[in-house]
Amino acid sequence: MGKKQNVYGEGNYVATRKYNEGLGKFVRSGKVSKAARDAAPATDADELQMAAAEAEGKRRAKGEDPALKGRMPKAPIPTKPDATTSNTAPETPTAPEPGEDK
């Protein structure tokens, strides 16, 4: 079976691998601090524009990701089992024996 062609999005493992390798290479190069300084706003106008863009992004967001703060919300624990029974299916299903009709 040949390789899949034109794989895009989350299924593009080759692109993901290349990105991760390039990112690791950049981090190991020691140029992260310089790149961060170069990305800082140069003027007050740049700073205002960046702050406005951040505010717009936050306005559309549903909230802060709890994973960023190191804690995940806990799933609710049921206090007691559901006492209702179903009228549509038997509690313990049984299969007919061979030659027996049910």
Side-chain angles (χ1 to χ4, degrees):
M1 188 176 271
K3 285 187 169 185
K4 284 187 177 181
Q5 296 294 321
N6 300 325
V7 178
Y8 298 101
E10 293 178 15
N12 194 338
Y13 301 116
V14 174
T16 300
R17 187 172 31 257
K18 285 181 181 179
Y19 172 80
N20 288 339
E21 289 170 359
L23 181 62
K25 186 177 178 181
F26 175 71
V27 169
R28 288 188 300 273
S29 74
K31 298 178 182 177
V32 175
S33 296
K34 181 182 181 320
R37 284 191 303 275
D38 291 346
T43 65
D44 289 339
D46 286 346
E47 188 173 353
L48 288 173
Q49 186 178 13
M50 291 172 94
E54 182 179 6
E56 176 65 14
K58 286 182 177 181
R59 183 181 68 80
R60 295 173 180 229
K62 292 184 179 181
E64 189 70 30
D65 184 358
L68 294 176
K69 294 183 180 180
R71 62 181 188 274
M72 295 296 294
K74 293 182 180 178
I77 300 171
T79 55
K80 59 183 177 181
D82 189 11
T84 61
T85 58
S86 171
N87 294 333
T88 59
E91 291 300 319
T92 52
T94 57
E97 294 294 323
E100 177 185 325
D101 281 335
K102 256 199 169 183

